[in-house]
Amino acid sequence: MSIFDIFAKLEQERRTKPAAQPVEWLVVGLGNPGKKYENTRHNTGFRVMDALCARHGVRCDRAKFQALTGEAVLGGRRALLLKPQTFMNLSGEAVRAAADFYKIPPERILVIFDDISLPVGTLRIRPKGSAGGQNGVKSIIEQLGSEQFPRIKVGIGGKPHPDYDLADWVLSNLKADELPAMNDAVSRAVLAVSELIENGVPAATQKYNGRAAQPEHPK
């Protein structure tokens, strides 16, 4: 086969190759950039995103939209993965930039974040809602002008006592005895992402809301 035949074959393959599936979903994990915050409660969204990438064999490391980005096919749909690098309080800037670029409506923007109102290891999946005191979500609502985006909340536990500073609490590391419950919640959140995209919020809620059943100890 001559070089001209090779080029002709490549051109034919290019013409007949199906067009790339468009990005239909935006999956956002919230957190703060930098090693200092890596293992804090407030970086639970990043923790889920890292586990999601590991499960699907992809990376979320391309700098774009003031975020680290990647792509994966989740629930049969092509999704842009987003880890905003703006720090938590400005997360909405990265989300809006990506949503505008791909023309993704709020109902196809899935946001994963920490929730102090839930015990460690508990998931709460919702189709929409207010910020509930979570500043990253507040920023997203402000930038999108909408609360109509689905979310997966991952419990990080409440302050140990009322006088404890909230910022200090969410920026603290998980305790060793909390890690098994958190790791389980992260694993279930990863599965919930694909379930939600493929079958909707009610299906994901039915399967993954709440806390994993604990095995009974023999008496």
Side-chain angles (χ1 to χ4, degrees), residues 23-28 49 60 62 64-65 68-72 74 77-82 94 98-99 101-102 104 110:
V23 170
E24 297 181 69
W25 277 80
L26 181 57
V27 180
V28 184
M49 291 296 287
C60 189
R62 295 197 308 271
K64 196 173 183 180
F65 309 122
L68 295 178
T69 70
E71 288 186 13
L74 305 172
R77 298 288 184 265
R78 186 177 169 205
L80 180 75
L81 312 179
L82 197 77
F101 183 85
Y102 288 105
I104 300 176
L110 174 56

Side-chain angles (χ1 to χ4, degrees), residues 2-194:
S2 72
I3 190 168
F4 300 105
D5 292 330
I6 292 172
F7 279 123
K9 183 180 180 182
L10 290 173
E11 176 63 17
Q12 178 65 22
E13 289 177 352
R14 185 188 69 80
R15 290 175 179 272
T16 58
K17 187 177 180 180
Q21 184 179 0
V23 170
E24 297 181 69
W25 277 80
L26 181 57
V27 180
V28 184
L30 298 187
N32 287 308
K35 285 285 185 183
K36 176 181 177 181
Y37 302 102
E38 197 170 76
N39 297 311
T40 63
R41 297 172 192 272
H42 222 19
N43 268 38
T44 298
F46 279 8
R47 191 186 293 252
V48 173
M49 291 296 287
D50 291 343
L52 181 70
C53 288
R55 178 176 177 83
H56 292 278
V58 299
R59 298 168 69 101
C60 189
D61 59 1
R62 295 197 308 271
K64 196 173 183 180
F65 309 122
Q66 300 184 74
L68 295 178
T69 70
E71 288 186 13
V73 176
L74 305 172
R77 298 288 184 265
R78 186 177 169 205
L80 180 75
L81 312 179
L82 197 77
K83 292 170 64 176
Q85 300 295 290
T86 54
F87 286 95
M88 185 68 76
N89 292 3
L90 299 176
S91 297
E93 294 182 2
V95 174
R96 182 175 57 81
D100 286 352
F101 183 85
Y102 288 105
K103 297 179 172 57
I104 300 176
E107 58 267 23
R108 294 207 305 270
I109 299 174
L110 174 56
V111 183
I112 307 161
F113 57 94
D114 59 286
D115 191 322
I116 62 169
S117 70
L118 300 174
V120 175
T122 302
L123 295 186
R124 183 167 291 163
I125 303 166
R126 292 288 185 265
K128 59 184 178 180
S130 66
Q134 218 282 0
N135 287 332
V137 178
K138 179 182 178 183
S139 174
I140 293 172
I141 291 171
E142 289 174 349
Q143 290 289 330
L144 295 180
S146 174
E147 298 180 349
Q148 305 294 311
F149 53 87
R151 68 278 312 270
I152 299 175
K153 306 177 184 183
V154 184
I156 60 170
K159 298 188 296 182
H161 55 80
D163 295 333
Y164 204 105
D165 184 76
L166 181 58
D168 288 344
W169 175 245
V170 299
L171 295 178
S172 67
N173 290 350
L174 289 159
K175 299 174 183 175
D177 62 359
E178 294 175 315
L179 288 175
M182 175 56 74
N183 291 338
D184 175 78
V186 167
S187 296
R188 288 185 296 118
V190 166
L191 297 174
V193 170
S194 292

